[in-house]
Amino acid sequence: MPVPPSTDPAPAEPTAADRKERIIRSVALFVMPFLMVTMMFATYVGTMHSPHPRQMPVAVIGSGAEAQGVVDALNAAAGEPVEARLVASRDAAVELLRDREISGALQLPVAGSDQATIITASAAGASRAGTAQQLLAPIAVQQQWASTTEDVAPLPDDDRAGISVLFAAMGMMLAGYVPLSMLLMATPHLLRLRRFVPLAAGWSALTSTIIWLILGPGVGAVDGHYLTFLGVGMLTTGAVGLAQLLFTKVMGPLAVLLGMLFFVVLGMPASNLALPVDTMPGFFQFLHGVLPLPAAGEALRSALYFDGRGIGVHLLTLAAWIVAAVLLCLIKERGGAPIPQAPQVDGPDTPLPALAGGPPRSKRFRYVTVAAFPLSILVAVVGLMSFSMHKPEPHDIPVAVVAAVPEQAEQVAAGLRAGLGGVADISVATSVDEARERILAQDLVAAYVLPATPGGEATLYSSSAAGSSQHMMVQTMFRQVAAGQQTPLAVTDVAPLSGTDTMGSNSLYVGMSWIMSGFLMLAVLRGGAPHLRRLRQFLPILGGWAIGMATWLWLLFDVIIGAVDGSALEMIGFGALTIFAVSSVTGVFTRTFGLAAIVPMMVVLMMAGVPASGGGLSIYMVPEFFRTLQGVLPLPAAVDTARSLTYFDGVGVGRNLAVVAIWAAVGLLLNLGVDWWLRRRERTAGGTGPHPAPDTSGGLDGIVGEPAPAGAR
């Protein structure tokens, strides 16, 4: 029987304008994650790979020519690392420390004594206090003075790393920044200022309370101070949220880039929360008094540790952001221009996607989603990171004892096991060469070599390249051991950090940039090109993206910034495999659960990966749970590879390659399973193929082709 000709109208040929718009949208899909990754890690590596003090304010306590000579010597140091002043009394110096006007003070010996004192305030920043001590201690050595240290504002025992203000401020910033892109897509009617302000006030109070519950009763890093968190949190989240509202009204979806630049990328180096702002370039020292993240962190620090001294100026900074944002939003709304690329709806009843790239949802579903999505990110970041890092306690540090006589080594090792308890895992090495090889293989953190002759010098072998925090930790530990044995101690760094990686953080940033490149690409594809539903469609895109981003990141870190010195082919190859593996695994979940899957993937791949990597805090200082994850997750493998290729001649890269390759293989197999599941679901639905959500069509049309009918796939 002949089939009658179809009466359906033939699809219209796309016009030149349509094709141009599709190309622009397609390019934007790559530009967005490229700019996000580049902005963040170019800034972080550029500012933090080799921080050094720049006119850090310190004081010398004393009077007369000797004291003035010390001040002059400090100020004349090459590179102007300090800006020293003379103060007449210890009390005056302590007041300056508590006002955070100086980082440390050197009290000169009184007449008839050779005892100097270095005074710091670790609550103003543990790294700031440590840097000040490193700058002032050589003066005492040069003058042949004995020196002691005094901390006039110590951190509490339950927050020894001083991270509560860091993660609290980050959480408040995220609570203000993250929801706006979702509101733009799901509930654009709420972006009118008269609706947004009361919602922002309630949201700020809720998220500030959650942050306090996590850091206080949950983790135990904060004791009380709920009203402080509520007040500072409402100002911070309100300031960031209203500023991001303004950016959204002007730039539409692209506002996410501007907000990320101001609140995340520039905010962290300027914050004085992780590293002293006095070690950052001068531009960031200016931003310290301007941006919301530094203002929030310093306000919390003032309230928690310094009885509110100096809090006013930081609260005024936050208030200024709120006032300016409200006024500019009012002006923008008076102009009447619509928000760029926002759905043109006036009320809540028009069905819209709850998340970018998803199907239209009901009003109730969208309201729940725009709150639940950022809340889950907030809880994951603040909760997991503070749990893992708020109270670093050394445990099971692998250390070997070496002696000329094996019996002597066994005897000392037995004594150390009894004295150090669970802090160190003490073994015996037969020779110094064996111990060095095990340190370079990163099987040992340190080796304690006993004196060869009575009254001789003991030697501690360790490697700062294997982890700066654990290198310093074993030095502190064995200086006490040597002092108890009345033995001089020399320290040998068998693999030192380079001059372009003085904090040992480069490998962490390299690994994080690979991981972030992987899952961000899938987030963008899910939101901007939801019609890409088959593995064969996006597999070439992911492969090209992985190779391109790995090459660009090597150029950025090695050639442009000059911070990472690793083999180009090996770094690019491992980076491309890591990016591809993360993309393929993330794709399994974004294809089945949509954009909401980004949150658990971020938790597994990034948030849990950071403490498990040993890239910042030693793996022997975080809870034991993360030791298990170290050999499983891709971020620890990526960090260890970047470190090994730079410092350890590739030792252990094969093991890390296997970890990442397994993730890539599992991702590909699961994606094939998702393909089968989607075909089966479409057949069950009667052959109706998936359609792009409203306002999301065209993503990669013209590059990978129009979405094909289900039966053709």
Side-chain angles (χ1 to χ4, degrees):
M1 183 176 178
V3 178
S6 172
T7 58
D8 292 340
E13 288 294 324
T15 65
D18 291 337
R19 187 165 293 277
K20 181 179 179 181
E21 181 184 355
R22 289 172 179 175
I23 292 174
I24 292 173
R25 292 170 65 94
S26 301
V27 171
L29 291 178
F30 296 92
V31 170
M32 288 283 283
F34 173 82
L35 288 178
M36 286 182 174
V37 174
T38 301
M39 283 193 311
M40 176 174 287
F41 292 101
T43 303
Y44 286 3
V45 174
T47 58
M48 300 184 192
H49 72 281
S50 183
H52 57 275
R54 297 169 166 89
Q55 296 184 324
M56 177 174 277
V58 298
V60 174
I61 305 169
S63 61
E66 183 182 34
Q68 187 61 51
V70 172
V71 171
D72 293 341
L74 285 167
N75 288 331
E80 299 183 331
V82 300
E83 183 180 306
R85 68 178 79 175
L86 187 64
V87 297
S89 67
R90 178 187 178 280
D91 290 343
V94 169
E95 290 298 302
L96 290 172
L97 281 166
R98 288 176 175 163
D99 288 332
R100 279 93 71 215
E101 292 186 20
I102 60 173
S103 301
L106 176 64
Q107 185 171 18
L108 303 188
V110 298
S113 170
D114 66 347
Q115 185 71 49
T117 304
I118 299 172
I119 307 173
T120 59
S122 58
S127 60
R128 190 183 192 212
T131 302
Q133 185 174 339
Q134 291 171 9
L135 292 169
L136 296 173
I139 296 294
V141 174
Q142 292 168 11
Q143 299 293 328
Q144 297 183 337
W145 297 331
S147 65
T148 59
T149 59
E150 180 183 357
D151 192 345
V152 296
L155 287 161
D157 288 340
D158 289 328
D159 186 21
R160 296 173 192 165
I163 55 86
S164 59
V165 293
L166 168 62
F167 290 124
M170 284 178 58
M172 293 166 184
M173 179 271 299
L174 288 173
Y177 163 72
V178 172
L180 267 296
S181 57
M182 300 185 58
L183 289 171
L184 177 66
M185 170 62 68
T187 56
H189 63 285
L190 297 179
L191 298 181
R192 297 289 294 181
L193 195 62
R194 59 185 172 82
R195 295 175 180 145
F196 184 84
V197 168
L199 286 173
W203 174 255
S204 301
L206 172 65
T207 53
S208 301
T209 301
I210 290 173
I211 292 169
W212 177 81
L213 287 171
I214 293 172
L215 293 172
V219 173
V222 176
D223 184 15
H225 293 284
Y226 168 65
L227 292 180
T228 296
F229 272 71
L230 182 64
V232 174
M234 291 188 69
L235 280 174
T236 304
T237 304
V240 174
L242 285 163
Q244 190 65 18
L245 174 66
L246 174 65
F247 299 158
T248 302
K249 286 180 175 293
V250 175
M251 302 178 63
L254 293 178
V256 67
L257 292 175
L258 191 59
M260 182 178 181
L261 176 65
F262 280 110
F263 305 134
V264 181
V265 174
L266 299 178
M268 184 55 70
S271 68
N272 199 38
L273 299 176
L275 291 176
V277 72
D278 303 300
T279 64
M280 298 291 107
F283 175 61
F284 292 94
Q285 297 181 35
F286 163 74
L287 292 179
H288 177 71
V290 174
L291 295 179
L293 182 60
E298 295 289 13
L300 288 170
R301 181 177 278 158
S302 296
L304 292 178
Y305 306 129
F306 296 99
D307 299 321
R309 297 169 67 134
I311 195 173
V313 65
H314 306 300
L315 299 182
L316 284 174
T317 299
L318 297 172
W321 276 82
I322 293 174
V323 172
V326 168
L327 290 176
L328 292 173
C329 283
L330 285 171
I331 293 171
K332 181 67 173 63
E333 288 184 1
R334 274 181 165 271
I339 298 174
Q341 300 184 44
Q344 300 303 306
V345 298
D346 295 325
D349 296 320
T350 303
L352 292 171
L355 293 170
R361 297 290 190 178
S362 67
K363 175 175 64 176
R364 178 178 297 179
F365 189 95
R366 284 180 284 130
Y367 282 166
V368 171
T369 302
V370 296
F373 190 82
L375 273 180
S376 61
I377 294 176
L378 171 67
V379 171
V381 172
V382 179
L384 188 57
M385 300 303 286
S386 60
F387 164 73
S388 62
M389 299 183 180
H390 82 284
K391 195 175 182 179
E393 293 183 342
H395 58 86
D396 302 316
I397 306 167
V399 177
V401 177
V402 183
V405 180
E407 291 77 9
Q408 182 188 14
E410 289 287 357
Q411 183 181 6
V412 172
L416 290 175
R417 291 187 193 105
L420 295 176
V423 173
D425 181 6
I426 307 294
S427 61
V428 172
T430 57
S431 67
V432 172
D433 288 341
E434 178 198 339
R436 287 175 63 100
E437 289 300 315
R438 291 175 64 187
I439 292 171
L440 293 174
Q442 300 184 61
D443 294 329
L444 285 178
V445 170
Y448 183 56
V449 182
L450 299 175
T453 58
E457 186 177 64
T459 304
L460 180 69
Y461 290 88
S462 184
S463 167
S464 58
S468 179
S469 60
Q470 64 189 32
H471 179 63
M472 298 300 294
M473 179 174 56
V474 292
Q475 286 187 60
T476 301
M477 182 188 308
F478 280 93
R479 281 197 174 101
Q480 295 174 355
V481 170
Q485 296 174 341
Q486 298 182 337
T487 302
L489 180 69
V491 177
T492 299
D493 193 342
V494 299
L497 290 165
S498 69
T500 59
D501 187 21
T502 56
M503 299 294 294
S505 59
N506 285 354
S507 57
L508 175 62
Y509 290 134
V510 170
M512 289 176 68
S513 70
W514 292 339
I515 300 296
M516 190 172 175
S517 298
F519 73 74
L520 263 186
M521 189 66 220
L522 266 294
V524 172
L525 284 179
R526 175 61 189 182
H531 58 278
L532 296 180
R533 302 278 285 175
R534 295 292 183 262
L535 181 61
R536 62 178 174 79
Q537 290 178 302
F538 60 78
L539 193 59
I541 299 170
L542 299 187
W545 169 257
I547 295 171
M549 278 303 294
T551 303
W552 163 244
L553 289 170
W554 172 79
L555 283 170
L556 178 66
F557 297 147
D558 193 328
V559 179
I560 299 174
I561 298 176
V564 177
D565 184 17
S567 167
L569 289 179
E570 292 173 328
M571 293 287 281
I572 292 171
F574 194 93
L577 180 61
T578 303
I579 294 170
F580 179 80
V582 171
S583 295
S584 63
V585 172
T586 305
V588 173
F589 296 94
T590 56
R591 295 174 69 199
T592 51
F593 299 104
L595 200 60
I598 290 297
V599 176
M601 294 308 298
M602 181 185 71
V603 170
V604 172
L605 296 171
M606 189 73 85
M607 296 297 103
V610 170
S613 71
L617 198 60
S618 170
I619 192 66
Y620 301 107
M621 298 175 73
V622 297
E624 182 68 24
F625 167 72
F626 293 100
R627 288 276 301 278
T628 304
L629 297 180
Q630 186 183 33
V632 175
L633 296 180
L635 179 55
V639 171
D640 188 63
T641 295
R643 179 192 290 132
S644 183
L645 291 176
T646 304
Y647 295 112
F648 297 103
D649 297 324
V651 172
V653 169
R655 177 184 65 248
N656 299 327
L657 187 65
V659 170
V660 175
I662 289 171
W663 276 81
V666 170
L668 288 174
L669 290 174
L670 291 176
N671 271 295
L672 291 172
V674 173
D675 272 1
W676 174 84
W677 174 72
L678 287 175
R679 285 194 297 268
R680 185 171 181 272
R681 191 178 68 167
E682 289 161 12
R683 285 196 299 268
T684 302
T688 303
H691 299 284
D695 297 325
T696 60
S697 60
L700 293 182
D701 300 349
I703 293 181
V704 297
E706 297 284 349
R713 298 184 182 187

